Amino acid sequence: MSEESHRVRFAGKHVLITGGARGIGLEIASQFAREKAIISLFDTHRQNLAAAAEKIAATGIKVYTYQVDVSNRQQVLEAVERVEATAPIDVLINNAGIGRETPFLEITEKEWKEILDVNLTGMFYVAQAVCRYMYSRKKGVVVNMGSKNGLDGEYGYAHYNASKGGVIMLTKTMALEFAHIGIRVNAVCPGYIQTPMSMEIDPPEFTQQFVDKYIPLNRAGSVEEVAPAFLFLASEESSFMTGQILILDGGQLAGQKPGNELLKK
């Protein structure tokens, strides 16, 4: 594949990205835009949506924004109908998610419900609404946002870990149900990535300590490194992949990181 064809794998394709107004979602949108896709964004934050649209539109790409709470099924159904009326959705990037650190015994019913409603139930609402249209056309691609935490839990994140474990099984089940008609469903599971959300939660000293202790590549990941995985899974380059979980974690799940005393031998 030539460099030029690689850059326009998605020319004319309509890509819907949830949680697309900042962080990984915005970077995914920007990279799809560079490959000439039509972009639709869902997010709850009106100002972030406006800023994201301005950034993408400056590249000459058509971009549509919708203020949507993915945990509200009626909002999702109405918004997806509007997106489809603009152009049939070819690719769904189910990225919207939230996280919060709370010890297990201190998680309230409200907090548990909020995390699960956005990260898992909201993903289901959007996927079901979009896949009804894809099913009628017998084509389409879905890429869900998972997490390393859905495969190997983390202290203080029981609700987040549970939601991302659910995303992995949702992905696999969707893939099984839709494979026979040509709809592919995969997930990306990032590890520790520096995003606006993570930087709001974690001070720099915590990030450095975490990296030193757990990540073999000795650094956190960036949104620019995560986004290409979504484009790969949405492209024809992954045409024989479905029901798969692509992990980008700097080696964290490979095993226990060796200490400096071993590395010096």
Side-chain angles (χ1 to χ4, degrees), residues 56-252:
I56 293 170
T59 67
I61 296 300
K62 289 183 179 179
V63 56
Y64 304 91
T65 61
Y66 305 84
Q67 189 174 12
V68 180
D69 175 359
V70 297
S71 69
N72 184 313
R73 186 170 182 269
Q74 191 58 40
Q75 284 189 27
V76 167
L77 291 173
E78 292 173 359
V80 168
E81 184 177 11
R82 291 168 58 200
V83 175
E84 273 282 326
T86 301
I89 299 167
D90 297 293
V91 177
L92 167 62
I93 305 298
N94 230 341
N95 166 70
I98 56 176
R100 190 175 300 115
E101 181 180 6
T102 309
F104 180 78
L105 293 179
E106 297 177 17
I107 297 173
T108 64
E109 179 182 2
K110 179 181 178 182
E111 186 175 336
W112 174 270
K113 189 174 187 298
E114 181 183 14
I115 299 291
L116 272 290
D117 280 356
V118 174
N119 293 2
L120 184 57
T121 304
M123 182 173 289
F124 162 71
Y125 287 158
V126 177
Q128 188 181 65
V130 172
C131 285
R132 291 192 192 280
Y133 290 99
M134 289 182 173
Y135 195 94
S136 67
R137 293 189 288 268
K138 294 182 168 54
K139 64 178 182 178
V141 179
V142 178
V143 187
N144 292 327
M145 175 60 87
S147 171
K148 185 278 314 178
N149 286 42
L151 296 159
D152 183 20
E154 182 177 356
Y155 183 97
Y157 287 89
H159 40 10
Y160 182 79
N161 300 341
S163 72
K164 292 302 183 178
V167 167
I168 289 171
M169 293 314 302
L170 178 65
T171 299
K172 289 178 177 290
T173 307
M174 288 175 62
L176 289 173
E177 294 199 18
F178 294 140
H180 70 288
I181 60 166
I183 297 173
R184 297 189 299 111
V185 186
N186 294 289
V188 176
C189 287
Y192 192 79
I193 309 298
Q194 290 203 294
T195 67
M197 183 171 72
S198 72
M199 288 186 283
E200 288 171 3
I201 297 172
D202 300 330
E205 57 273 18
F206 170 86
T207 298
Q208 190 59 53
Q209 290 171 3
F210 188 93
V211 165
D212 290 344
K213 186 173 183 178
Y214 295 114
I215 303 181
L217 283 182
N218 291 317
R219 62 180 178 83
S222 69
V223 295
E224 292 81 7
E225 293 173 304
V226 174
F230 286 85
L231 275 72
F232 167 70
L233 290 174
S235 75
E236 286 302 308
E237 295 168 18
S238 62
S239 58
F240 200 53
M241 290 180 67
T242 197
Q244 300 306 303
I245 308 302
L246 190 57
I247 303 168
L248 291 86
D249 69 348
Q252 191 175 347

Side-chain angles (χ1 to χ4, degrees), residues 2-20:
S2 70
E3 184 179 355
E4 177 62 27
S5 63
H6 176 80
R7 285 200 299 266
V8 294
R9 290 175 295 180
F10 301 99
K13 298 288 187 181
H14 189 186
V15 181
L16 170 60
I17 303 162
T18 69

